Amino acid sequence: MNRFDYIRPTSLDEAIAAASQPGSAFLAAGTNLLDLMKGNITRPDRIVDITKLPDLDRIETLEDGSTRIGALVKNADLAYHEDFAARFPAVAEALLSGASAQLRNAASVGGNLLQRTRCRYFYDTASACNKREPGSGCDSLEGENAGQAVLGWSPSCIATHPSDFCVPLAALGAIVEIKGPDGSRDVALTDFHRLPGDRPDIETVLAPGELVVAIRLPAEAAGFAAHSRYLKLRERTSYAFALVSAAAMLRLEDGVIAEARIAIGSVAAKPWRAKSAEAVLKGMKAEPAFFEKAAREAFAEAKPSGDNADKIELGRRIVARALTLASAGTPTEMPALPASPFAPLPGASANGVAHV
Amino acid sequence: MDFSISLTINGVERRITFDDPRVTLLDLFRERLHLTGTKKGCDRGQCGACTILVDGRRINSCLALALSHDGASITTIEGLAKDDQLHPVQAAFIENDGFQCGFCTPGQIMSAVGLIAEGHAGTDPERVREGMSGNLCRCGAYAGITKAVIEAQKSAGEARTGEAA
C-alpha cells in the first residue's frame, strides 16, 4: 500500500473541497478501497475519511413518501431495518446475499455503488487491463472470461459490476443524490454507472470531488412489496459474487400482471434494467410461459464476450425463476434460505416449474 | 507525522499513538499492542480470521483503518474469558470439536459471538452456516463449528430466560 495524506473533515463542504484535489479518494468503511490499495491496484495520494461526517447515516421517509437512505448507512442496518425490508424486500434480500456478515456490518450503501469490478485481470497488476491502466489492453479477452459480461461490453473491457444491492435498486427506479463542488444533483441509478466504451477506467458519472450522499426510492416502488425477489446464482451457496443474478418484482391485480420490474446483475458494467422484458409481462397472467418469454427478451441483445455463451442461458433461467419465485410471494424471513437457486420452489406444483 | 487515537480495548481505554496512516486495526493489535490472538489470514477480507467486535458488531479488522475508528469500543478474543472462566462460545467450541489446527478459531469464535448478538440465526443449522460463511476453516471443522454455535446459542437463550425470571 502506498503512503497517503490522511484528512478527516468535519463537514460535507470541507470533505468535498479536500477530495476535489487530484489523486484524492473518499474513505467510508474501506472494505473495497483498502483491499484495492493493499493490492496496489488503487494508489490515492490523499484519503478523505468521511466516516465521522454527520447526518449521512439515516434512513428516513420524505414528505413525498419516498425513502431516503444516507450514504453511510451500513449494508446490514438497511437489510435488517424492519420497515425498510417490509417495503422493499428484494433490496433486503439482495443485501443479505452479498459478501459476509462481517463485511455487511462494515460496508456502506454509498460504497456499494462504487465498488470496483472483481475481474481477476483488474486485480492482477501484472496483467494488461484498460480499466486499471488505460491503453494497456485487456488480457481477459483471450484469457479466463467465463464470468465476464454478455451485455453492454466493448473490446476495451468485458468486466462486470459485482453489486447485488444495485440490481433491485435499478429495477425500482432508485435515484442517487450527489453533492459536489458545483452543488447538488440527482442521477437515476440506471444512469449512474457508465458502460465501458473506450474508457473503461471511467466507471460512473461522478466528477472529481463529487460524493454520493444518499439513495432515494420513490414511494411507488413499495407497490411491489408482496411479490419481490432477488435470486443469485453463484459457485457456492454463500459468500461468493454472482455468476448472474436477477431482481424480479410484480404488481398483481386479480392474477394479472399490472406492472413488472426486472433487472439483471453481473452481466454488464452496470446493473442492467430490462425494460423491454418488463413490457412483455404487462397485462399477462403470472404464468411460467410468460416468464420464460420475458427472460428471453431480457437477453435479446446479449452476446458472448468470450467463452461465456452459457451465461446467457443461465441468465435467462435465473430471470424466469426469479419471476416464478416473485409470483409465489415475498418470503416472510430474510435471508430466504436455502439460498441455493436449486432449492425447490415454494408451492411448486407438478406442472414443471421446479426446474425452469 | 504522528497520529493519536483513543480506543477502548476489552474494557480498557487506551490512548494510542502511531506514525503511519496505513495501520489497520489488525496490525495495530498484532504489531503494536501485543494482542496477537486476532489472526491474520488473507489480510484482504476473505477469510474472517481477523474478526473482532467494534461497538458490539463483528467486522474484519484487516479492512478497518485504525484512524477511522477513533473512539471505538473493541472486543478481541483476549477479552472474552473472565479470569479462568471461558466465554460460553469458547467452551462450546471445545466441547464440540469446533477446530483442528486452531488458526481460524479466534475469528470463528468472535464471529459466533457477533452472530448470536445479532439474533437472526437462532438454532437453525442452515441459518448458522449462512451467518458464519464469512469465516473459512481450512481444516474443515465446519460440522463441529455449527454444533458449537447452536449449543452456545441455546445456552445464551437459557441465560436470558434465567435473567428474566
Side-chain angles (χ1 to χ4, degrees):
Chain A
M1 193 190 292
N2 62 293
R3 280 202 76 120
F4 51 81
D5 292 330
Y6 175 84
I7 295 163
R8 192 195 292 158
T10 52
S11 73
L12 205 48
D13 288 341
E14 197 188 323
I16 288 163
S20 298
Q21 305 293 318
S24 301
F26 287 114
L27 174 76
T31 49
N32 191 209
L33 181 63
L34 291 178
D35 182 33
L36 292 164
M37 289 169 68
K38 286 183 179 194
N40 279 319
I41 299 145
T42 305
R43 301 172 58 84
D45 297 322
R46 77 166 35 189
I47 290 287
V48 181
D49 183 345
I50 59 168
T51 51
K52 304 282 196 247
L53 290 184
D55 304 330
L56 292 178
D57 59 352
R58 288 205 299 252
I59 303 165
E60 55 196 332
T61 304
L62 304 181
E63 271 181 27
D64 66 357
S66 61
T67 298
R68 185 176 187 273
I69 310 154
L72 289 181
V73 171
K74 304 294 188 188
N75 283 222
D77 289 338
L78 185 60
Y80 287 117
H81 187 282
E82 278 187 26
D83 181 52
F84 180 85
R87 300 181 75 205
F88 310 107
V91 179
E93 187 166 28
L95 284 167
L96 293 175
S97 75
S100 66
Q102 289 97 316
L103 290 165
R104 293 191 295 268
N105 275 343
S108 68
V109 298
N112 190 303
L113 268 56
L114 291 160
Q115 66 182 301
R116 313 290 303 273
T117 183
R118 296 285 161 168
C119 171
R120 65 188 69 182
Y121 296 95
F122 174 70
Y123 266 80
D124 173 17
T125 54
S127 295
C129 172
N130 287 319
K131 190 184 274 299
R132 176 168 34 75
E133 199 178 327
S136 65
C138 171
D139 276 349
S140 184
L141 282 173
E142 299 296 325
E144 295 276 343
N145 48 32
Q148 301 286 37
V150 293
L151 285 162
W153 54 273
S154 77
S156 293
C157 182
I158 58 175
T160 62
H161 192 260
S163 170
D164 295 299
F165 176 53
C166 288
V167 181
L169 290 184
L172 291 171
I175 304 290
V176 184
E177 279 184 34
I178 297 167
K179 190 163 186 199
D182 300 325
S184 299
R185 62 185 179 125
D186 287 348
V187 174
L189 181 84
T190 46
D191 297 328
F192 180 76
H193 300 95
R194 290 180 71 258
L195 289 176
D198 56 5
R199 287 302 301 274
D201 54 311
I202 305 173
E203 295 173 348
T204 70
V205 299
L206 289 180
E210 282 194 318
L211 178 68
V212 172
V213 293
I215 299 155
R216 283 200 318 270
L217 281 166
E220 48 97 12
F224 298 92
H227 294 278
S228 291
R229 289 306 301 257
Y230 179 73
L231 185 63
K232 179 175 178 181
L233 180 69
R234 39 192 160 172
E235 287 181 333
R236 58 185 182 215
T237 310
S238 182
Y239 199 16
F241 290 98
L243 286 172
V244 57
S245 69
M249 296 96 166
L250 300 171
R251 194 157 55 73
L252 296 178
E253 288 171 4
D254 301 326
V256 172
I257 300 167
E259 192 178 1
R261 296 288 180 93
I262 302 168
I264 324 164
S266 286
V267 293
K270 61 191 286 183
W272 197 268
R273 173 99 181 255
K275 278 196 171 180
S276 60
E278 295 170 5
V280 164
L281 290 173
K282 192 171 172 65
M284 299 297 151
K285 285 188 173 170
E287 289 175 356
F290 297 116
F291 297 153
E292 285 164 27
K293 190 177 175 202
R296 283 194 297 277
E297 177 61 29
F299 284 88
E301 289 172 16
K303 56 181 198 291
S305 57
D307 188 17
N308 59 355
D310 62 314
K311 190 164 173 170
I312 297 170
E313 182 57 24
L314 278 176
R316 289 189 187 114
R317 294 186 191 197
I318 288 298
V319 168
R321 195 177 175 90
L323 286 162
T324 304
L325 287 166
S327 71
T330 300
T332 52
E333 191 177 4
M334 296 290 176
L337 296 179
S340 167
F342 303 110
L345 292 169
S349 60
N351 65 2
V353 292
H355 294 283
V356 289
Chain B
M1 179 180 168
D2 275 351
F3 301 95
S4 180
I5 61 171
S6 139
L7 293 175
T8 302
I9 304 172
N10 299 326
V12 180
E13 194 176 340
R14 302 176 71 152
R15 189 89 212 160
I16 300 157
T17 303
F18 49 97
D19 55 3
D20 191 326
R22 295 173 292 187
V23 174
T24 59
L25 285 177
L26 174 61
D27 288 337
L28 185 73
F29 300 150
R30 292 188 56 82
E31 308 295 338
R32 295 164 194 256
L33 301 178
H34 307 294
L35 289 166
T36 54
T38 307
K39 298 297 183 246
K40 182 182 277 196
C42 68
D43 203 29
R44 302 290 284 270
Q46 296 174 9
C47 76
C50 67
T51 303
I52 58 166
L53 303 184
V54 172
D55 299 325
R57 298 157 62 103
R58 51 181 169 156
I59 66 159
N60 301 109
S61 61
C62 70
L63 292 182
L65 210 59
L67 280 168
S68 279
H69 290 80
D70 191 5
S73 177
I74 288 164
T75 308
T76 69
I77 190 74
E78 289 93 341
L80 285 190
K82 292 199 173 77
D83 299 321
D84 287 341
Q85 184 74 37
L86 289 179
H87 185 279
V89 175
Q90 292 174 307
F93 266 68
I94 293 172
E95 186 63 32
N96 293 280
D97 284 335
F99 52 87
Q100 184 177 319
C101 84
F103 189 87
C104 74
T105 311
Q108 298 278 2
I109 288 174
M110 295 313 294
S111 190
V113 172
L115 174 74
I116 291 168
E118 287 158 16
H120 301 303
T123 55
D124 178 346
E126 179 88 22
R127 291 190 181 277
V128 169
R129 283 191 288 269
E130 170 62 33
M132 292 292 290
S133 71
N135 292 81
L136 307 189
C137 170
R138 203 225 60 166
C139 303
Y142 294 110
I145 291 167
T146 305
K147 279 166 63 183
V149 175
I150 290 170
E151 185 181 296
Q153 172 78 58
K154 282 179 180 161
S155 60
E158 283 161 15
R160 268 199 294 275
T161 312
E163 280 165 23

